[in-house]
Amino acid sequence: MTSSSPLPRTPLPTALITGASRGIGRAIADELATTHHLLLGGRDRSELEALASSYPSAEPFAVDVRQVAEADVAGIESLDVLVHSAGVLRMGAVADLDDDAWRESFEINVFAVARLTRLLLPALRRAGGQVIAINSGSGFTSGSSSAVYSGTKFALRALTDALREEERPHGVRVCSIHPGRVATDMQRELHEYEGKDYNPGAWIQPEQVAKTVRLAVDASREAAVESLNIRPSGIRTAGMA
Ligand SMILES: NC(=O)c1ccc[n+]([C@@H]2O[C@H](COP(=O)([O-])OP(=O)(O)OC[C@H]3O[C@@H](n4cnc5c(N)ncnc54)[C@H](OP(=O)(O)O)[C@@H]3O)[C@@H](O)[C@H]2O)c1
C-alpha cells in the first residue's frame, strides 16, 4: 500500500432491531444508524425499504415475528446487537380476555423473542454481541386489566434473566430495558382503552429510550448494562398541553 492509498474500510457492526418501523424501535434505529449497519424489522417491506434508504447503511428485515424461520436469518453470519422491540399491548380483565388475546400476546412478546434469539445466537456468539429486550415497567408489576401484557413482560424478564447467565460463558451480554409510558402509537391506544385524552408531551419520548440502548451498546466488554428502568419524571415540561 502506498502512502496515498485509502485505508481499507472497517465493516460497520450490525444491529437487527425488531419493531423498527415505528415507536421505540424506530427511535433506536435512528440512534444506532450513525454507528451500525441496520437490519430493520417490521412487516411492510416497502415501508422498511423507504426507511432503510434514509440511513447510511440499512436493509429491511421484513417478517411477522411470529413466523421467523431459519431461512430469514440464513445470511446473518455475525451480529453485534439484537434489539427486541416488536410488541403488542392487549388490555382487558381476565373475565373478558379470550384465548386468542392470550395466544397472540405471548406469541409476539415472548415466543417470537425466544425463537429469533435462538436462531441468531451463533451469529451473536461469533461477534461477542448483545441482546437487548425492550421490556416494560409491566415486567415488574401487574394490576387490573394488565394480566396478559404484564404476563408477557414477566415472562420476557424470566427469559432474559436466564439467557444472561447461559450466554455469559459464550461472551454474549443480555440487557433488559424497562420503560414506563412512552409516547408512541401503543400509548395512544392505551389512552383510548382508558378513555383518557392523550398528550404525547406528558410521556417519555422514544428518543430517550433509544439513549438507554446506546448506553448498553457502547459499554465496553468488561461491563454490561443488565437491567435499566426509565420512568416518566412526572415533572411538567414545555411539551405538555
Ligand atoms: N409505548 C410504551 O409506553 C411502552 C412502554 C414500555 C414498554 N414498551 C414496549 O416497547 C416495545 C415497542 O413499543 P412501541 O410503543 O414502540 O409500540 P408501537 O409504536 O405500537 O410499535 C410496535 C412495533 O412492533 C411491531 N410489531 C408488532 N407486531 C408485530 C409482528 N407480529 N411482527 C413484526 N413486528 C410487529 C410493529 O411493526 P408494524 O409496523 O409492522 O406493525 C411496530 O414496529 C414493545 O415491546 C412494548 O411492549 C412500550
Side-chain angles (χ1 to χ4, degrees):
M1 189 193 299
T2 66
S3 58
S4 60
S5 324
L7 289 167
R9 281 181 56 186
T10 316
L12 289 171
T14 300
L16 192 161
I17 305 162
T18 70
S21 53
R22 292 185 281 125
I24 294 172
R26 170 71 180 272
I28 295 167
D30 289 347
E31 174 63 44
L32 296 186
T34 53
T35 49
H36 287 71
H37 174 68
L38 302 181
L39 302 174
L40 301 169
R43 285 171 289 189
D44 185 328
R45 174 170 291 278
S46 56
E47 193 184 287
L48 292 170
E49 276 167 357
L51 181 62
S53 68
S54 72
Y55 293 134
S57 180
E59 59 190 290
F61 183 77
V63 60
D64 186 316
V65 288
R66 288 168 292 187
Q67 264 120 48
V68 172
E70 218 157 321
D72 295 306
V73 301
I76 306 173
E77 290 297 319
S78 175
L79 186 63
D80 299 277
V81 181
L82 170 59
V83 181
H84 295 288
S85 190
V88 289
L89 171 78
R90 298 280 177 267
M91 299 297 287
V94 174
D96 302 325
L97 290 164
D98 62 14
D99 289 353
D100 285 345
W102 283 94
R103 197 174 295 114
E104 186 203 36
S105 295
F106 271 84
E107 279 180 353
I108 294 171
N109 293 3
V110 186
F111 302 164
V113 173
R115 186 185 317 113
L116 185 58
T117 303
R118 185 174 72 245
L119 291 171
L120 287 169
L121 273 178
L124 285 158
R125 289 174 180 175
R126 233 169 262 133
Q130 286 202 55
V131 178
I132 301 176
I134 307 302
N135 197 303
S136 171
S138 299
F140 294 113
T141 58
S142 184
S144 178
S145 299
S146 191
V148 166
Y149 185 66
S150 293
T152 65
K153 294 299 188 179
F154 276 42
L156 180 59
R157 184 160 58 90
L159 188 164
T160 48
D161 280 354
L163 185 70
R164 183 176 305 116
E165 299 313 318
E166 291 161 6
E167 288 305 309
R168 219 183 279 284
H170 300 287
V172 174
R173 289 171 289 171
V174 177
C175 173
S176 182
I177 293 179
H178 297 262
R181 292 181 178 230
V182 183
T184 68
D185 293 346
M186 185 180 280
Q187 195 51 236
R188 184 185 301 280
E189 286 162 21
L190 179 57
H191 276 69
E192 274 168 25
Y193 174 82
E194 294 171 330
K196 292 181 183 162
D197 289 338
Y198 176 54
N199 172 12
W203 306 114
I204 304 167
Q205 299 305 298
E207 298 73 29
Q208 299 304 314
V209 181
K211 285 184 185 174
T212 67
V213 171
R214 167 62 74 188
L215 184 70
V217 167
D218 282 357
S220 51
R221 282 190 62 72
E222 83 289 358
V225 178
E226 295 192 340
S227 178
L228 198 149
N229 290 331
I230 174 167
R231 313 288 310 162
S233 68
I235 297 169
R236 285 195 69 79
T237 62
M240 283 191 193

